[in-house]
Amino acid sequence: MENNKEIRSALISVYNKEYLERVVKLLNELGITIYSTGGTFNHINQLGIEATPVESLTSYPSILGGRVKTLHPKVFGGILARRFNTEDAGDMSKYEIPSIDLVIVDLYPFEDTVKAGVSHDEIIENIDIGGISLIRAAAKNYNDVLVVPSAYYFEELIQLLESKRGATDLADRKRFAVLAYELTSHYDTMIFEYIKADEPVRTFKQSIPHPRVLRYGENPHQEGTYYGKLDEVFEQIHGKAISYNNLVDIDAAIGLISEFEEPTFVVMKHTNACGVASRPKLVDAWKDALAGDPVSAFGGVLICNSTVDEETANEIDKIFFEVILAPAYEDGALEKLRTKKNRIILVSKSFDFGKNQFKSLLNGVIEQSKDEHMENPNDWTNTTTEKPDEQEAEDLVFANKIVKHFKSNAIALAKNKQLVAGGIGQTSRVDALKQAITKAKTFEFDLKGAVMASDAFFPFSDSVELANKEGINAVIQPGGSKRDQESIDYCNEHSMRMVFTGFRHFKH
């Protein structure tokens, strides 16, 4: 098998012709015969470069409104023929099939067409058939043929042709074949996801290009890579490269802040909120969020849902944090925040994160619909004789939003739309409450008048008993325990208010 191959002929069929000029001029300079199709042929001719229309090779015009142009034995035979196979050589001679050594394709933009929200018929017409078949054929025969599957790789092709004067070796051809199958795999997955729609097809398929190699994974001895387009979610305007742990915290922070409409600040640490507050003025929301746990806030991720003004930035700048994410910043605020060169400053964008989430597990993947449900007072069942007053109801809503995003088992204590303390990730619910009470007392919060939210039901009455002893008199929980009545009876006996939502919010 010959390793080095001289390119004598090329077939070009591209959707994106913007960067084609340098390629075809170089091919012409190297004396490479160019075959081309339809609009690509016309474009090359307009550049003053000689090319042969593929119709003259196949003796068939483009038919069916352009759906069939290259699907012909004289095209695919020239690509798939094994150059040192005598039987293949005989067929090529018998049927007058010319060898094609280089295939350059840029597919119809199916994915962009779907995103544009055009009609179903237009989307279907943007499913490329001939182009993707050319790519697959050329990639299969990478022993003899070089395939360039996208305009994205034109620059790399130019460098290769210039450095080797129109020749390639097996390593070159194999690398481009890998890129080709990566692209066709992604293209087919996008088509499958669109066509499938709501059909009950239980096959897990994901194709996420654009890898970003991170400094390391969760720990320095682990490798880390992010797959996706972060610039669709936020714009980084300052600071060092974002780390694996930063991304995990940012994801959790976005999930929590999306629950709030009024000006709210969240301090996130290891995917759990250590400070949350909602206030009419953002600076007050920041101060009260920080007060919830000023120790844990050190090195945290900050997120808010309002424009950061200069007054707020001056307060934020007093502590060390790694990341801040906000929809906008006043000029004076940015000037202040940029004084630390490594501080990561992000501008959030509106983005649809989809309805499902998944993660690797054992030897497979588990997938579920996202927990997008959030109960409001109209959904509650008042289980006790006394009902929450207006302030308690507001705080119960606030606390319930937060506990939904805590790791289970979880308790959130809140007062006046401020997270007073959280009990997070405990093996029992009463332990989560004890943790929250201890933390609240550490930072000298008065729990009298605070409310308690639980992510799941109370299996016993011990949690409401302990809460009552600390001055907490309003509780929100899903309900559903066989022993719910014990908690209800205790609350009634001690003039507590308790509502059931009917929705559990486990998070692991």
Side-chain angles (χ1 to χ4, degrees), residues 299-443:
V301 169
L302 316 182
I303 188 169
C304 64
N305 56 3
S306 302
T307 299
V308 176
D309 55 61
E310 188 171 358
E311 181 183 12
T312 304
N314 286 331
E315 292 298 322
I316 294 170
D317 189 60
K318 294 177 181 179
I319 75 160
F320 167 72
F321 62 91
E322 290 210 351
V323 181
I324 183 169
L325 179 64
Y329 303 83
E330 291 183 356
D331 291 342
L334 271 183
E335 184 178 351
K336 185 65 175 179
L337 294 173
R338 280 175 165 156
T339 56
K340 305 293 190 300
K341 68 176 183 177
N342 288 329
R343 181 180 285 164
I344 297 169
I345 304 176
L346 308 175
V347 179
S348 58
K349 299 180 180 180
S350 176
F351 185 77
D352 179 6
F353 290 96
K355 299 293 184 182
N356 291 346
Q357 58 187 175
F358 55 88
K359 64 179 177 181
S360 59
L361 190 72
L362 300 175
N363 63 342
V365 172
I366 54 174
E367 182 178 13
Q368 67 173 352
S369 58
K370 291 182 178 178
D371 183 3
E372 296 184 326
H373 192 275
M374 177 44 60
E375 308 77 48
N376 61 58
N378 294 328
D379 303 318
W380 297 348
T381 299
N382 290 290
T383 64
T384 51
T385 304
E386 295 187 22
K387 298 180 180 180
D389 61 29
E390 184 177 352
Q391 181 61 56
E392 287 175 332
E394 287 186 356
D395 283 343
L396 288 172
V397 170
F398 178 86
N400 198 38
K401 290 177 178 179
I402 297 169
V403 82
K404 169 184 169 182
H405 292 269
F406 277 162
K407 292 293 176 67
S408 302
N409 288 309
I411 293 289
L413 305 181
K415 186 176 181 179
N416 298 324
K417 295 185 180 179
Q418 177 187 25
L419 176 63
V420 173
I424 304 165
Q426 298 302 300
T427 52
S428 75
R429 198 148 303 281
V430 72
D431 281 348
L433 176 56
K434 289 176 181 177
Q435 181 192 51
I437 291 170
T438 299
K439 178 161 283 194
K441 290 181 177 180
T442 298
F443 298 110

Side-chain angles (χ1 to χ4, degrees), residues 168-358:
T168 65
D169 61 33
L170 186 60
D172 299 325
R173 297 190 295 276
K174 183 176 181 182
R175 166 173 161 68
F176 274 91
V178 171
L179 296 174
Y181 282 124
E182 178 188 35
L183 184 144
T184 60
S185 172
H186 176 73
Y187 198 78
D188 283 342
T189 299
M190 296 302 101
I191 295 170
F192 169 76
E193 290 296 328
Y194 173 76
I195 297 295
K196 181 190 74 170
D198 297 323
E199 293 291 327
V201 181
R202 289 297 179 185
T203 300
F204 181 80
K205 289 182 182 293
Q206 285 288 325
S207 179
I208 308 174
H210 312 291
R212 174 188 290 215
V213 177
L214 306 173
R215 296 198 304 273
Y216 50 80
E218 202 162 4
N219 299 292
H221 63 277
Q222 296 173 266
E223 296 180 355
T225 306
Y226 177 81
Y227 297 91
K229 297 180 180 179
L230 286 175
D231 59 356
E232 293 181 342
V233 180
F234 54 71
E235 177 188 1
Q236 181 169 356
I237 57 177
H238 184 75
K240 64 183 179 180
I242 298 173
S243 72
Y244 179 101
N245 291 330
N246 291 154
L247 288 172
V248 174
D249 280 341
I250 290 168
D251 178 69
I254 290 174
L256 177 53
I257 200 68
S258 66
E259 303 281 1
F260 298 92
E261 295 182 0
E262 59 187 312
T264 301
F265 233 112
V266 172
V267 183
M268 191 67 63
K269 194 72 173 288
H270 296 296
T271 74
N272 289 296
C274 59
V276 186
S278 297
R279 296 288 182 266
K281 286 186 64 178
L282 190 64
V283 66
D284 295 328
W286 160 249
K287 289 177 180 178
D288 288 342
L290 177 63
D293 188 345
V295 175
S296 297
F298 182 86
V301 169
L302 316 182
I303 188 169
C304 64
N305 56 3
S306 302
T307 299
V308 176
D309 55 61
E310 188 171 358
E311 181 183 12
T312 304
N314 286 331
E315 292 298 322
I316 294 170
D317 189 60
K318 294 177 181 179
I319 75 160
F320 167 72
F321 62 91
E322 290 210 351
V323 181
I324 183 169
L325 179 64
Y329 303 83
E330 291 183 356
D331 291 342
L334 271 183
E335 184 178 351
K336 185 65 175 179
L337 294 173
R338 280 175 165 156
T339 56
K340 305 293 190 300
K341 68 176 183 177
N342 288 329
R343 181 180 285 164
I344 297 169
I345 304 176
L346 308 175
V347 179
S348 58
K349 299 180 180 180
S350 176
F351 185 77
D352 179 6
F353 290 96
K355 299 293 184 182
N356 291 346
Q357 58 187 175
F358 55 88

Side-chain angles (χ1 to χ4, degrees), residues 70 72-83 88 92 97-100 137 141 145:
T70 58
H72 193 279
K74 281 202 171 183
V75 174
F76 283 86
I79 296 170
L80 287 165
R82 293 157 290 190
R83 302 308 193 255
D88 286 5
M92 293 184 74
I97 300 173
S99 295
I100 297 174
N141 200 23
V145 179

Side-chain angles (χ1 to χ4, degrees), residues 453-466:
S454 175
D455 65 333
F457 65 65
F458 297 117
F460 308 102
S461 62
D462 51 0
S463 292
V464 293
E465 293 173 16
L466 179 58

